[in-house]
Amino acid sequence: MTRIYLIRHAEAEGNLYRIAQGQHDSNLTDRGWRQVRALEKRFESVRVDAVYSSDLYRTCATASALYRPKNLPLQRRKDLREIYVGAWEQRTWGDIARTEAQAMDDFGSRMDRWKIPGAETPGEVLTRIRAAVEEIAAENPGRTVAVFCHGYAIRLLLANLQGYTLAETGGKQPTGDNTAVSLLEAENGTMRIVFQNDSQHLQTPEYLAGEKVRKRATALEPGLWFAPLTLPEHAGLLQEAAGAAWGEGGEARLLPSGADCAAMVGYLDEEPVGVLQLGPEPGRIFLAYIRAERRKRGFGVQLIGQAVQHTRAGGGERLWAALPPQSEAEPFFRDCGFRPAEQTAGGYMVFVKNIGFDREILGKS
């Protein structure tokens, strides 16, 4: 009999920033790395003979909780990847909900109906995930293995092993938490579930001491969508933002055009609720603002998500912001993983966030 620990990846950027990740590579969040450490502690005394992972970065990074301390090679498999969502990849869930509401609902609740051009169907994902896990089981008779995979793919497989159809999966099979652990037993060509979606390692006092409650209107609130900031259309919002943020003397202006500059407005449905300006230096957050009445709902961090996407697309590996002494923005940036790095001649403190990838986890020297 083969024992298979099927583990979802830790919290990644798309989970936090409300962006459809699909098969796009994204990094783990600070919270995700804390989950990795908790997972390592959970498996500290558990025998594991082999570690497999989807070849996407977020699963390989999560798998480091086991393969590094146990000194095992990481076996990367493309067929363990998350569903490829075609034109949805790297779009915000807010944008998708606004333009394709029925398809988004079907994606989570009626997998048998979901199909968009260029994307895999849930049925195709189920076929390849089940085949991959069955092959791993056949290659490891009598052994215990860990398989790191993705939320949607795991959900499809667990539902299938319980006899649920794709039409039933949405209503009967929940998505496990990040780093949730399921245990399968495989023997004589059959697989059964011993337990599923267990996240007890995230309930320890040690882990919970670092948790920060995140508020959303509802658990499924998709978040913001973004459009370019233009004048004079957004002049009032820009002026409001510049006056309330740390800014440079409260000046309201568009930054000069250039590869490292970007200016965008975040919308909740059709309401403009925030502004992000990047540049003129690479990776610099010049302005980030959410209207007061829309704060405490996780929208500010979605601005950071847009900054990550823009900066990484240009080859950058860090974000930074220069804040004046005792800035009201400092707690926000610290919560988003920024740390003080240096003080400017003008007395501003530069806060920096690394957004680069670990080259060893990437499989590069």
Side-chain angles (χ1 to χ4, degrees):
M1 180 181 67
T2 303
R3 290 163 59 86
I4 303 167
Y5 287 103
L6 185 60
I7 305 167
R8 186 186 177 197
H9 65 77
E11 183 183 77
E13 291 168 337
N15 304 130
L16 178 60
Y17 301 147
R18 309 303 296 153
I19 294 169
Q21 296 175 111
Q23 294 189 5
H24 188 90
D25 260 336
S26 59
N27 213 331
L28 298 187
T29 65
D30 291 343
R31 185 187 194 208
W33 283 113
R34 288 199 305 105
Q35 292 170 345
V36 169
R37 292 191 292 272
L39 193 65
E40 178 180 346
K41 187 171 181 62
R42 172 175 181 159
F43 278 87
E44 185 169 63
S45 59
V46 177
R47 175 188 165 185
V48 175
D49 301 302
V51 180
Y52 294 81
S53 173
S54 145
D55 63 348
L56 296 177
Y57 184 88
R58 59 191 184 271
T59 39
C60 293
T62 308
S64 69
L66 272 68
Y67 80 80
R68 281 177 169 171
K70 296 182 184 298
N71 197 29
L72 293 168
L74 178 61
Q75 302 184 58
R76 306 165 194 254
R77 295 184 60 132
K78 187 175 181 179
D79 53 4
L80 290 173
R81 285 185 176 190
E82 182 60 290
I83 183 172
Y84 178 65
V85 292
W88 284 13
E89 300 250 333
Q90 288 297 90
R91 287 174 62 190
T92 67
W93 288 112
D95 184 39
I96 295 167
R98 169 178 169 262
T99 58
E100 300 167 74
Q102 184 59 60
M104 184 170 171
D105 184 64
D106 288 344
F107 184 71
S109 63
R110 283 298 301 268
M111 285 78 159
D112 58 312
R113 295 193 304 214
W114 188 80
K115 186 175 183 179
I116 64 171
E120 285 184 289
T121 65
E124 289 169 339
V125 177
L126 173 59
T127 297
R128 69 168 166 82
I129 290 295
R130 177 147 189 166
V133 175
E134 287 176 342
E135 185 175 298
I136 290 169
E139 290 173 354
N140 293 276
R143 305 177 84 201
T144 296
V145 302
V147 176
F148 288 82
C149 195
H150 301 263
Y152 200 83
I154 291 173
R155 186 183 184 194
L156 291 169
L157 177 59
L158 293 177
N160 180 257
L161 291 176
Q162 294 170 90
Y164 301 145
T165 66
L166 286 176
E168 295 172 321
T169 295
K172 293 188 175 182
Q173 181 62 49
T175 300
D177 296 333
N178 291 112
T179 68
V181 179
S182 300
L183 178 59
L184 312 179
E185 290 181 343
E187 191 171 26
N188 299 324
T190 63
M191 284 193 294
R192 74 178 188 92
I193 299 171
V194 179
F195 63 77
Q196 61 175 303
N197 293 334
D198 182 84
S199 55
Q200 59 180 291
H201 54 287
L202 303 183
Q203 304 304 316
T204 65
E206 181 182 12
Y207 177 80
L208 292 174
E211 277 291 78
K212 180 178 175 64
V213 176
R214 293 184 184 143
K215 297 179 181 178
R216 292 193 182 115
T218 69
L220 298 178
E221 185 175 62
L224 305 181
W225 61 277
F226 294 86
L229 187 154
T230 58
L231 296 179
E233 180 184 1
H234 299 117
L237 179 61
L238 181 59
Q239 182 66 55
E240 176 187 332
W246 69 94
E248 293 185 357
E251 183 180 2
R253 62 186 175 91
L254 277 176
L255 293 173
S257 60
D260 296 315
C261 292
M264 62 193 77
V265 173
Y267 285 83
L268 179 62
D269 298 322
E270 300 305 314
E271 175 195 355
V273 299
V275 176
L276 174 70
Q277 286 188 286
L278 302 173
E281 301 88 351
R284 181 181 179 184
I285 298 179
F286 182 80
L287 179 67
Y289 172 75
I290 295 291
R291 282 179 160 159
E293 65 272 19
R294 291 299 185 181
R295 294 174 190 167
K296 307 298 184 183
R297 288 173 58 177
F299 296 146
V301 76
Q302 292 173 44
L303 299 181
I304 303 301
Q306 294 302 300
V308 169
Q309 284 189 305
H310 178 85
T311 302
R312 191 176 286 147
E317 294 191 343
R318 73 166 200 161
L319 297 177
W320 62 280
L323 306 183
Q326 300 178 334
S327 170
E328 292 182 1
E330 182 176 329
F332 166 74
F333 279 95
R334 285 185 179 273
D335 283 347
C336 291
F338 288 75
R339 296 295 177 261
E342 60 182 288
Q343 194 167 33
T344 70
Y348 279 56
M349 179 59 71
V350 175
F351 283 76
V352 175
K353 177 180 176 67
N354 174 39
I355 60 170
F357 294 102
D358 182 316
R359 293 186 66 81
E360 192 232 323
I361 291 173
L362 282 172
K364 299 178 181 179
S365 60

